Amino acid sequence: MTQLHIEPILDVVGLHKSFGHLAVLRGIDLQVHPRELIFIIGPSGSGKSTLLRCCNRLEEPTSGSIKIESVDILAPGVDINAVRRRIGMVFQSFNLYPHLNAMGNVTLALRKVLGKPKQDAEEMAMQVLKRVGLADKAKTFPNELSGGQQQRVAIARALALEPAIMLFDEPTSALDPELIGSVLKVMREMRESGMTMVVVSHEMRFARSAAHRVLFMDEGVILEEGPPEKIFNDPDHPRIKEFLSSLESR
């Protein structure tokens, strides 16, 4: 019960997002507390990725409020770059710089964003590359890495800035099946170390075993949320049963 007294790291209230006449988010309320791993599932086009992108203002919400560590990120005059340092983001595509090796990709933000001297940045980069199991690939360029390794470099790059929360948007959907496990292993270790995480993904087995809460979104609203065993085994909403059985039949 003590969690009620802890300020949420992410606090979303009444979030709406429209693209022209198309309402993609229709009144989302979401609180994420420290050390929680929240999993968001639902059909394509339900607004999951848009929700994540609004949480660091890659998309501008139409209305509502978003607070990160009690800072209203939609307030006039907010330093959005300072806020973004506290929000790690990992995308479906790895977005690595092809002309920089793994070390260079990780140190770039440390040097440009945090102003770290080269040696300090490289020491920190080695620590996070080690954390994702790629210390031996520090000098390797993206085109020489597998997709799973590239995604782990992208995770290391986000971790290097020591964010308060990590957002994952379909982090394994571009990977071959045999490479997915290496990325999920890193994410599981992050959860165990206490990183606060919001994950949009179709990796249902990972959601069952690792999530603290699962949210089901459809047509821009959260239809239901709860512990994984409730959402996967005994959901209240028939739409969730329909969605899960469609996945099983593939």
Side-chain angles (χ1 to χ4, degrees):
M1 293 300 288
T2 51
Q3 195 178 51
L4 296 175
H5 304 294
I6 300 171
E7 284 291 314
I9 286 189
L10 172 63
D11 190 3
V12 176
V13 179
L15 188 66
H16 287 258
K17 173 64 181 176
S18 295
F19 296 97
H21 296 299
L22 179 66
V24 178
L25 299 177
R26 300 185 295 142
I28 298 288
D29 295 326
L30 169 62
Q31 286 196 328
V32 181
H33 288 88
R35 304 177 73 90
E36 264 195 310
L37 194 169
I38 303 295
F39 220 92
I40 304 176
I41 65 172
S44 296
S46 56
K48 307 182 300 292
S49 294
T50 302
L51 171 58
L52 285 194
R53 291 171 67 84
C54 284
C55 288
N56 64 3
R57 278 183 59 187
L58 285 173
E59 296 287 357
E60 288 294 329
T62 305
S63 63
S65 80
I66 302 171
K67 290 181 179 174
I68 300 280
E69 296 182 301
S70 302
V71 174
D72 180 354
I73 72 168
L74 304 178
V78 72
D79 183 347
I80 192 60
N81 290 325
V83 171
R84 283 191 182 131
R85 280 173 223 154
R86 306 294 295 151
I87 310 167
M89 184 98 186
V90 177
F91 299 92
Q92 182 175 336
S93 52
F94 322 123
N95 296 344
L96 298 179
Y97 291 101
H99 64 289
L100 297 176
N101 60 23
M103 169 73 79
N105 268 282
V106 177
T107 56
L108 187 67
L110 288 167
R111 295 172 66 186
K112 299 284 186 196
V113 178
L114 298 186
K116 298 282 183 192
K118 184 170 186 262
Q119 188 178 346
D120 292 359
E122 288 185 351
E123 283 172 12
M124 291 172 76
M126 276 309 289
Q127 285 173 8
V128 288
L129 286 170
K130 191 171 175 184
R131 191 169 166 186
V132 301
L134 291 175
D136 60 330
K137 300 288 186 185
K139 297 287 192 281
T140 308
F141 286 85
N143 67 348
E144 302 166 309
L145 296 170
S146 72
Q149 290 168 332
Q150 290 184 61
Q151 190 60 293
R152 281 148 61 199
V153 172
I155 292 171
R157 178 178 59 187
L159 281 175
L161 295 175
E162 299 181 331
I165 186 169
M166 288 278 286
L167 309 178
F168 291 86
D169 188 9
E170 301 277 11
T172 58
S173 65
L175 301 180
D176 292 332
E178 68 269 23
L179 302 175
I180 289 171
S182 64
V183 173
L184 296 182
K185 179 173 180 279
V186 168
M187 293 171 67
R188 191 180 295 278
E189 287 165 358
M190 289 165 62
R191 173 201 189 273
E192 286 162 6
S193 70
M195 174 59 75
T196 307
M197 301 157 72
V198 181
V199 180
V200 167
S201 174
H202 290 290
E203 297 295 332
M204 299 301 163
R205 269 189 302 193
F206 182 67
R208 279 177 184 270
S209 63
H212 295 100
R213 274 189 292 146
V214 177
L215 280 63
F216 181 86
M217 280 184 71
D218 194 19
E219 296 185 348
V221 295
I222 296 171
L223 289 185
E224 191 174 339
E225 64 174 280
E229 56 273 16
K230 169 74 175 134
I231 297 297
F232 288 112
N233 301 335
D234 187 27
D236 295 328
H237 205 287
R239 181 71 184 92
I240 302 173
K241 295 174 187 167
E242 186 187 306
F243 173 76
L244 292 172
S245 65
S246 76
L247 293 183
E248 285 163 13
S249 64
R250 281 180 194 173

